[in-house]
Structure formats: C-alpha cells, structure tokens
Amino acid sequence: MLNNWVVIPTCLPLVLRRCHTCASKRFRASGKFRVNANHKLLDAWLLVLCTTCGDTAKLTVLERMNVRSVQPGLLDRLHANDPALAVELLQDPVVQRRNRIVLDWENAWRLDIGGSDHLDREVIDVSVRFAARIPVRPVRLIAKGCGLSRAEVERLITEGKLVSAVRLSDKLSGDFTFTLKC
C-alpha cells in the first residue's frame, strides 16, 4: 500500500538579502505590494521588511511595463495585496534571479504523513508530494516522517534497505517516491 506524505508550507519563507541599513541578511515578506505608474509605464514591487531593523526593501515584480501588456487580473491582485500572489512571486525563479534573493524555508514548512500506521509493516512505499517548491533533503523528510535520526536513515541507504529513483542526499523540491524495507 502506498503512503502519501505532503510537505506543506506553514508561512512565507524568509528572504535572504543584505539590508542596506543594518547589514542584516534576513527579510520577511509583508505581503504588500507597491504599484507606481508613470504615464503608460508601470512598476510593481513586493515589500519586504528587515527582521532586525524593520527597514523596508522592494523586490521588483514589474519594471517599466506598458499598462496594456499587464493582465488586468494581475493588476487587480497587486492592488488588493493578494497574499497568494506574494507566495507565487516569491517562488518565481525569474523574480528571485532579478532581485538576487534566496528563500530560507527553515521552520516555514511541516510534513503531513497522514497517520503513523505504516511504521509496523516490513515494506513501506511512500510517495512524497510538495505543496510548494520547498527545497528539503529527502533524508531529513524520511527521518522526520519515520521518527529516525538522519544517521540511521543514511545507514539504511548504504545497506540498501532504503531505495529511491532520486538521489536522497541532495535537496529536492519536487515529488518523489521511496521504499523502506525494515
């Protein structure tokens, strides 16, 4: 029987970027946007706050875009400070690259294993699904889901009792499956 585990975000991740005021490196997304129009050109930013000094920084979402080329639905969501849009944009690789930011997902996600009745069987097949692109090492997920230490999970991998089609030591943010033979 296949068990389904889900990695679920619990809050917005921290944004790693240098603060110009206090040299801190952590910002939290406020979920608010600033939209500025200059004639027919539009700029939009996602506002983030420094966790140390509270200074506001802007992450560029739109830059010098013609108003007609912006989808009306997107513009409405920007004006409404849509929190779901903030989540989407923070995870967008284009926005991350443009603003030279990295997301810190530490303590911003949880693992839902759907009960613990699978631990008493000899062979466990598990499908892990990510509700958002959260980079996590599969070894950490398996340790957390099975109640084992990471060293114990590493030992199971080397003994061939824990197998998967993906490399379990690298960070993943996409769905994968594994089989554990107790």
Side-chain angles (χ1 to χ4, degrees):
M1 182 176 152
L2 185 67
N3 293 292
N4 294 311
W5 293 1
V6 182
V7 178
I8 304 168
T10 56
C11 60
L12 288 175
L14 291 177
V15 175
L16 300 180
R17 168 187 174 157
R18 188 174 184 93
C19 178
H20 297 292
T21 305
C22 69
S24 170
K25 293 183 180 165
R26 297 188 183 282
F27 285 82
R28 64 179 169 80
S30 67
K32 297 189 187 275
F33 294 93
R34 177 161 183 235
V35 180
N36 187 31
N38 185 6
H39 299 287
K40 294 182 182 181
L41 300 178
L42 196 67
D43 293 310
W45 301 277
L46 173 62
L47 302 178
V48 292
L49 304 172
C50 177
T51 57
T52 305
C53 69
D55 191 39
T56 302
K58 301 183 290 189
L59 303 180
T60 303
V61 175
L62 301 174
E63 189 171 31
R64 297 290 180 212
M65 295 283 295
N66 191 311
V67 175
R68 291 183 185 223
S69 66
V70 178
Q71 297 174 350
L74 174 62
L75 198 53
D76 291 341
R77 291 175 75 188
L78 288 168
H79 285 299
N81 290 323
D82 185 0
L85 180 61
V87 171
E88 290 173 30
L89 291 173
L90 277 176
Q91 294 181 0
D92 186 0
V94 174
V95 172
Q96 290 179 8
R97 210 172 21 256
R98 176 187 293 152
N99 293 287
R100 294 186 209 103
I101 62 169
V102 177
L103 300 181
D104 179 11
W105 282 98
E106 192 67 33
N107 299 322
W109 60 272
R110 68 179 174 84
L111 178 64
D112 181 15
I113 61 172
S116 62
D117 61 339
H118 63 276
L119 296 176
D120 56 354
R121 288 187 246 136
E122 288 190 26
V123 177
I124 304 166
D125 291 319
V126 179
S127 170
V128 180
R129 187 176 63 80
F130 287 80
R133 284 195 332 256
I134 303 171
V136 182
R137 294 190 193 283
V139 169
R140 181 176 180 190
L141 290 177
I142 295 167
K144 189 171 193 159
C146 294
L148 303 170
S149 69
R150 288 190 209 169
E152 182 71 17
V153 172
E154 295 283 353
R155 187 184 60 76
L156 290 171
I157 291 171
T158 57
E159 291 177 356
K161 293 183 178 181
L162 179 61
V163 294
S164 178
V166 299
R167 189 173 175 152
L168 297 175
S169 59
D170 294 339
K171 283 190 176 184
L172 291 177
S173 58
D175 302 349
F176 69 97
T177 60
F178 69 90
T179 302
L180 176 60
K181 302 168 194 166
C182 298

